[in-house]
Amino acid sequence: MESKSELLSDATIINSQLPTLVDLVLTEAKNQGASAAEAAASVGQGLSASVRLGEVETVEHNRDKDLGVTVFFGHRSGSASTSDFNESAVRDSVRAACSIARYMAEDECVGLADADKLAKEIPDLDLYHPWNPGTEQAISIARQCEDAARCVDARIQNSEGATVSSHEGLVVYGNSDGFLGTLPTTRHSLSCSVIAQDAQGMQRDYWYSVARDAGELEDAEQIGNKAGRRALRRLGARKLGTRETPIIYEAPVASSLLSHLASALSGTNLYREASFLLDHLDKKIFPDHVRILEQPHLQKAMGSAPFDSEGVATIASDLVANGVLQHYLLDSYSARKLGLQTTGNAGGVHNMMIEPGDHDLDGLLRQMGTGLLVTELIGFGVNTVTGDYSRGATGFWVDNGEIAFPVEEITVAGNLKDMFQELVATGNDVDTRGNIRSGSILIGNMTVAGN
Amino acid sequence: MTGALQKARESLLDPAGIGDSELERLIGRLLSHQVDYADLYFQYRRHESWSLEESQVKSGSHNIEQGVGVRAISQEKTGFAYSDEIGVPALLDSASAASTIARAGGDGAVSISWQDGRSLQLYSALDPLVSLPDATKVKLLEDVEAEARRQDQRVRQVMASLAGVHEVVMVVRSDGVLSADIRPLVRLNVVVIVEQDGRREQGVAGGGGRFDYQYFFDKETALGYAREAVRQAIVNLEAVNAPAGTMQVVLGPGWPGILLHEAIGHGLEGDFNRKGTSAFSGRIGERVASEQCTVVDDGTIRDRRGSLNIDDEGTPTQNTVLIEKGILTQYMQDTLNARLMGVTSTGNGRRESYAHLPMPRMTNTYMLAGEYDPQEIIASVDDGVYAANFGGGQVDITSGKFVFSASEAYLIEKGNITRPIKGATLIGNGPDVLTRVSMVGNDLKLDTGVGTCGKEGQSVPVGVGQPSLRIDGLTVGGTQSG
């Protein structure tokens, strides 16, 4: 690309100025009378190229920046953000935040994170591996990926395309207690989505790979091949009759169960009494064999971070051990509301994972015997207040440990509290692509609604 | 020049020293390659939000975003770049990057005679953020909270939020058409949690539209949301397990129209149909609903959340009939997909912001009223479910399978609404669900202004609506089988 080098050099200049910008914001906040302040500045840039049916479809050049500030006047706060880094815009943003703070109620839980919780040393987690593939190379990889998917079978006649995307970014967080942390990261991905068709209709499925280091992306042809095979195996899907049955969540969707757990354990939902796991600390919420942990410092992992969005040091810990809930997921504010300490979870979890069991997916299918394998979920039928769970599902009926036929247009329902207690086994087929990692999960009994 | 265009020029272009000749130079840079069509999308967006919990307004934020999206289209190929700096050098860079999608050798030396695009006048060009003193915004939320607590002693928590957006957009197209729009948008939301004998349930209500904050004071609109949220939460305290299986379902009027958005709306968007990836592809002229069903997408309703004077490609929105008496009549189009399918844009080209590419999106999607009294519809059901309110929904465009999740529902037994049931997801098949609509009510209602639609990672405000409907056979995803 003729403009490539220009884009890069621009961003490099901005990157080097981010700490100065954060400093400027903190000083400005102080000048405008704030007793404390925090600011986060970020810049990012990237390229995304899509190919569909062998032809280039879109090429997108991304370049973003953002500055967010929160000011404190004692125990009152206000926030503002802007995408304009000019000094006057920055000053206006601080003024807007200060103006909001004036109208806020006094709340003694409001404030910066406790200074002794801030990250003292910032470990290098190896999260920054710029790639800069260039448009031609990105297109060629996407084309190779989609070709592999289209070659899987003659019934793969249509496609939503394959996309290569590469992104790099820098976040600088600082606060008026002297904390300044910088976090450069990269994220590269390759995805492919194709459509299989027969007399009965069309079925779409996809596969993707994502990595901090482009060298660790799954092979393009392999991704295409998986996407093709996954679409193909859904052909001929039918409804099931309504029944109670054991269910296996295939690894890529099993992580959603952990995300519902994280949501129920988030400090914000707890102090608002909006969680079905209120008052469950030290209680058994899973069977004995379940261990769920957070490992924020894994090298190169997608969910790794040395500090959270308040500058608090992240730490590895067990969230659930021997089935018993060990702690909640708290930021400073929710921790103070609950009379507890922050757990370094401002902004969410970092590499949350369930300890894998001994079996792969085939082993889990045999362990289940007869039941439902869910490979895709749709809809938002999860109530965090009550734990009531009801979502649309697609997958396969399993008979005697073997996949029998594809199913669709059914729902799977239960209550998350019961589903957690009935977690029979976790597979060792761990999906490491996301911030939440899980192998396939077998739940003892749920309700399937269909015909 | 329209008022909006003049204001847009003053606030977006003039500070950067961009006049007609600079615009011509930018379009020229885009057309220096073999590009069929190109556009620039200038945007300035100011957003504020105030939120209350535990009887106090404790958080508030103010955000400003601005930038320009630059797009070049050559046949089916799209090149796109954007910049959050509105200035000639940054825009020339973006134009160069976007135009490389096409082969070099276009006619770069263009001479354009700019003309003003047509625009509707559906809402006032006001800035809602300044329509109310900040102290009054805080007081409004406090009043909403007090109203909720006044309803019932079982109310444990009240969370209320108020948000406003002031947005100025300007579209500069390579065919010389200049258009602009000034878009206000406000929203108030209330969530309550009630508790009885250790059981906690939630109720949610809210609304808004393209006007200023005064709307929430008129007819006690905001206080009405508080009462409605409490009412729903209290109903849910008594809810029993929902049934599982396929049964007769009656949907209430208004927001349950999310059925139409998911079951048919997305599947009728032009991009999926141009590519042949929708379950509705190639089905224009076919029966996809019962004769009682006429469904439209109408971006031209005054003051509505989903309405737009022009879409994000400068095309005025319109009232598009999607299904007429059960027959599929038309898809929703943006310029790219319309051109490739040999039709014209229906004014459905929308984008989340300058940093996103436009695509065909819905505006306000609803079904026209039928002839039945809603009471008559319920009385006609011997054994089924009445779903009065919903959370969100989702659809698989290709297979046509869609879901939407009830947040307030009841059993219908022998023609009467009896016990409330727990929220459950309803699942169906888009191309045939409306063929099972056996009764359409005379009580058409639009939603209160709460919808946000997500597609390929882009969110845009939308509306839905419908009269009461009876569907003979929809799968209810409860836990009570048999």
Side-chain angles (χ1 to χ4, degrees):
Chain A
M1 299 298 305
E2 56 187 317
S3 57
K4 182 109 213 108
S5 58
E6 289 171 22
L7 290 178
L8 270 178
S9 60
D10 273 10
T12 313
I13 292 164
I14 293 168
N15 287 1
S16 64
Q17 292 174 343
L18 283 195
T20 317
L21 181 67
V22 166
D23 209 48
L24 171 77
V25 174
L26 298 176
T27 307
E28 182 62 30
K30 196 176 171 190
N31 291 343
Q32 292 192 26
S35 55
E38 61 184 346
S42 64
V43 292
Q45 63 170 348
L47 170 75
S48 160
S50 302
V51 166
R52 178 172 173 268
L53 298 176
E55 299 290 329
V56 176
E57 189 173 44
T58 56
V59 174
E60 290 191 45
H61 303 269
N62 307 310
R63 188 160 52 157
D64 299 285
K65 58 191 205 295
D66 187 62
L67 171 69
V69 56
T70 300
V71 298
F72 300 91
F73 288 77
H75 294 296
R76 289 178 296 133
S77 74
S79 300
S81 75
T82 176
S83 60
D84 187 346
F85 284 7
N86 285 323
E87 215 173 305
S88 66
V90 169
R91 208 164 272 137
D92 286 348
S93 275
V94 173
R95 196 169 299 124
C98 291
S99 159
I100 287 167
R102 268 199 296 281
Y103 296 100
M104 294 297 115
E106 183 96 10
D107 179 348
E108 60 177 16
C109 297
V110 164
L112 291 175
D114 295 344
D116 64 338
K117 293 281 185 185
L118 297 173
K120 307 268 174 324
E121 284 160 32
I122 296 177
D124 177 9
L125 304 178
D126 202 14
L127 307 177
Y128 185 72
H129 295 269
W131 179 21
N132 305 320
T135 313
E136 293 308 320
Q137 194 194 350
I139 288 169
S140 144
I141 295 169
R143 192 173 275 142
Q144 193 188 350
C145 181
E146 197 206 28
D147 283 350
R150 294 169 70 201
C151 284
V152 165
D153 192 280
R155 287 168 289 174
I156 299 195
Q157 291 169 355
N158 204 346
S159 169
E160 292 185 325
T163 302
V164 167
S165 109
S166 173
H167 185 266
E168 60 176 286
L170 176 73
V171 179
V172 175
Y173 170 85
N175 70 26
S176 55
D177 278 349
F179 180 87
L180 188 76
T182 64
L183 186 59
T185 57
T186 48
R187 186 181 196 281
H188 315 293
S189 68
L190 173 54
S191 63
C192 181
S193 174
V194 290
I195 290 163
Q197 184 161 16
D198 66 6
Q200 198 192 316
M202 296 190 290
Q203 294 287 348
R204 166 210 45 84
D205 212 330
Y206 66 97
W207 194 250
Y208 74 96
S209 175
V210 58
R212 298 288 188 191
D213 179 345
E216 293 176 7
L217 285 174
E218 204 175 331
D219 175 68
E221 286 178 16
Q222 204 172 318
I223 292 168
N225 188 272
K226 276 190 194 170
R229 283 189 290 121
R230 289 178 74 87
L232 198 63
R233 68 179 187 167
R234 287 170 67 158
L235 285 175
R238 49 182 123 147
K239 270 181 105 152
L240 276 179
T242 300
R243 67 190 68 189
E244 310 247 316
T245 175
I247 290 183
I248 292 173
Y249 285 77
E250 192 189 26
V253 292
S255 55
S256 68
L257 296 174
L258 297 185
S259 76
H260 303 322
L261 174 68
S263 169
L265 295 179
S266 91
T268 305
N269 280 332
L270 290 165
Y271 80 75
R272 290 177 175 171
E273 303 182 295
S275 164
F276 64 94
L277 291 177
L278 201 60
D279 302 323
H280 276 65
L281 207 55
D282 300 323
K283 293 200 176 131
K284 210 151 158 0
I285 57 172
F286 284 96
D288 284 338
H289 62 85
V290 173
R291 180 180 178 217
I292 296 168
L293 56 162
E294 217 191 339
Q295 295 208 303
H297 295 176
L298 289 183
Q299 295 285 305
K300 285 188 165 179
M302 296 315 296
S304 292
F307 53 87
D308 75 1
S309 61
E310 296 179 306
V312 171
T314 51
I315 37 168
S317 70
D318 277 14
L319 190 57
V320 173
N322 302 317
V324 175
L325 178 60
Q326 305 294 306
H327 66 82
Y328 295 134
L329 299 167
L330 309 174
D331 58 11
S332 298
Y333 180 78
S334 63
R336 287 174 194 140
K337 296 293 290 181
L338 295 165
L340 299 166
Q341 301 277 311
T342 174
T343 56
N345 289 107
V349 293
H350 302 97
N351 300 321
M352 177 180 181
M353 56 189 80
I354 183 163
E355 197 168 57
D358 300 327
H359 295 302
D360 60 8
L361 179 58
D362 284 341
L364 275 191
L365 292 175
R366 282 192 296 274
Q367 187 177 351
M368 176 171 74
T370 296
L372 179 68
L373 169 65
V374 171
T375 58
E376 195 168 313
L377 290 162
I378 58 171
F380 310 96
V382 181
N383 184 333
T384 307
V385 178
T386 59
D388 291 329
Y389 180 99
S390 168
R391 298 188 71 186
T394 300
F396 299 88
W397 184 249
V398 177
D399 216 353
N400 289 317
E402 302 277 340
I403 284 178
F405 54 85
V407 296
E408 64 179 2
E409 205 183 333
I410 54 169
T411 59
V412 292
N415 184 283
L416 283 167
K417 243 169 135 170
D418 303 330
M419 290 159 62
F420 290 164
Q421 292 288 0
E422 291 200 55
L423 195 158
V424 177
T426 306
N428 60 16
D429 55 334
V430 182
D431 184 344
T432 59
R433 294 174 295 181
N435 178 28
I436 299 182
R437 302 175 165 207
S438 178
S440 297
I441 287 179
L442 168 57
I443 306 283
N445 186 47
M446 288 180 67
T447 307
V448 169
N451 286 325
Chain B
M1 195 185 297
T2 66
L5 199 49
Q6 179 143 8
K7 277 188 194 160
R9 276 181 179 268
E10 282 166 15
S11 64
L12 292 165
L13 304 193
D14 293 354
I18 300 174
D20 284 357
S21 61
E22 284 75 20
L23 291 178
E24 193 168 283
R25 196 170 150 215
L26 287 165
I27 294 290
R29 177 68 68 96
L30 283 160
L31 299 184
S32 67
H33 287 61
Q34 293 173 21
V35 163
D36 304 327
Y37 171 87
D39 60 15
L40 308 169
Y41 182 84
F42 292 82
Q43 183 188 29
Y44 169 88
R45 189 176 188 273
R46 211 151 66 85
H47 168 269
E48 69 171 1
S49 75
W50 303 81
S51 38
L52 171 145
E53 58 179 35
E54 297 184 315
S55 312
Q56 295 181 317
V57 176
K58 290 183 299 199
S59 69
S61 69
H62 180 269
N63 315 286
I64 294 178
E65 256 185 302
Q66 62 173 35
V68 189
V70 179
R71 174 172 69 146
I73 296 175
S74 170
Q75 314 253 307
E76 297 188 34
K77 300 188 184 78
T78 301
F80 180 56
Y82 58 85
S83 168
D84 44 26
E85 268 166 58
I86 301 181
V88 174
L91 288 177
L92 284 170
D93 275 358
S94 293
S96 297
S99 65
T100 53
I101 192 74
R103 269 199 301 270
D107 184 7
V110 293
S111 167
I112 301 175
S113 62
W114 299 109
Q115 59 190 69
D116 293 2
R118 196 167 64 81
S119 172
L120 304 175
Q121 301 289 330
L122 303 172
Y123 35 82
S124 311
L126 50 84
D127 176 356
L129 279 66
V130 300
S131 68
L132 208 60
D134 289 346
T136 314
K137 296 169 192 167
V138 169
K139 177 76 167 43
L140 173 63
L141 290 175
E142 288 169 350
D143 289 349
V144 163
E145 197 260 351
E147 183 70 11
R149 291 201 183 269
R150 195 157 36 236
Q151 301 305 303
D152 198 294
Q153 291 195 332
R154 290 169 287 183
V155 172
R156 292 278 307 185
Q157 301 278 340
V158 181
M159 287 146 274
S161 61
L162 180 71
V165 178
H166 170 60
E167 188 175 36
V168 182
V169 303
M170 179 170 171
V171 186
V172 178
R173 303 198 323 206
S174 56
D175 61 5
V177 175
L178 298 177
S179 323
D181 197 9
I182 296 172
R183 300 169 175 170
L185 188 65
V186 295
R187 170 84 194 264
L188 193 148
N189 202 54
V190 189
V191 179
V192 303
I193 291 178
V194 297
E195 187 181 76
Q196 174 178 294
D197 304 331
R199 176 173 175 178
R200 279 187 312 280
E201 292 286 350
Q202 175 176 279
V204 182
R210 298 200 179 278
F211 27 64
D212 66 22
Y213 290 128
Q214 183 58 38
Y215 173 76
F216 297 120
F217 294 90
D218 297 343
K219 301 180 198 159
E220 298 195 342
T221 304
L223 300 183
Y225 298 150
R227 293 172 206 137
E228 171 61 13
V230 174
R231 187 195 62 76
Q232 278 179 32
I234 297 290
V235 165
N236 282 327
L237 276 178
E238 308 296 330
V240 298
N241 285 341
T246 301
M247 56 199 76
Q248 270 191 343
V249 173
V250 176
L251 300 175
W255 178 244
I258 187 172
L259 162 82
L260 306 170
H261 181 98
E262 304 298 352
I264 60 151
H266 279 297
L268 299 183
E269 288 166 344
D271 44 356
F272 303 120
N273 289 290
R274 192 250 307 170
K275 296 173 186 174
T277 60
S278 163
F280 288 96
S281 296
R283 299 196 58 185
I284 297 270
E286 290 182 24
R287 173 164 298 283
V288 295
S290 79
E291 268 205 344
Q292 298 181 48
C293 300
T294 294
V295 181
V296 302
D297 183 81
D298 186 358
T300 71
I301 313 172
R302 195 160 181 85
D303 292 340
R304 296 286 310 173
R305 181 175 165 86
S307 297
L308 294 171
N309 289 325
I310 50 167
D311 72 1
D312 294 321
E313 298 180 308
T315 310
T317 58
Q318 63 183 52
N319 183 357
T320 305
V321 179
L322 305 174
I323 294 173
E324 186 158 23
K325 295 182 177 167
I327 306 296
L328 180 57
T329 51
Q330 208 177 341
Y331 300 129
M332 288 168 275
Q333 300 288 2
D334 63 359
T335 53
L336 168 70
N337 290 288
R339 190 169 45 82
L340 293 171
M341 291 182 83
V343 295
T344 53
S345 169
T346 53
N348 288 91
R350 303 186 62 185
R351 61 203 299 175
E352 180 178 308
S353 78
Y354 67 89
H356 300 85
L357 274 170
M359 52 186 161
R361 301 295 296 262
M362 284 172 262
T363 58
N364 305 296
T365 314
Y366 62 94
M367 184 186 288
L368 304 192
E371 59 188 37
Y372 292 96
D373 183 278
Q375 292 309 317
E376 187 185 355
I377 297 177
I378 288 163
S380 74
V381 176
D382 193 51
D383 178 18
V385 161
Y386 174 67
N389 239 305
F390 283 85
Q394 199 177 349
V395 60
D396 177 331
I397 305 288
T398 302
S399 73
K401 305 300 175 274
F402 71 94
V403 296
F404 56 140
S405 299
S407 57
E408 181 190 354
Y410 305 82
L411 292 176
I412 306 177
E413 296 171 288
K414 299 195 186 337
N416 293 304
I417 288 175
T418 56
R419 283 174 299 174
I421 53 177
K422 280 174 176 281
T425 288
L426 276 54
I427 191 163
N429 181 36
D432 74 34
V433 68
L434 294 189
T435 63
R436 299 185 206 183
V437 171
S438 54
M439 296 174 94
V440 176
N442 58 14
D443 56 341
L444 168 63
K445 215 170 95 181
L446 300 179
D447 75 282
T448 54
V450 293
T452 297
C453 169
K455 175 177 170 184
E456 290 170 27
Q458 292 195 42
S459 295
V460 297
V462 295
V464 297
Q466 68 178 28
S468 294
L469 296 182
R470 190 181 92 185
I471 301 173
D472 294 342
L474 192 58
T475 302
V476 177
T479 54
Q480 206 70 29
S481 57

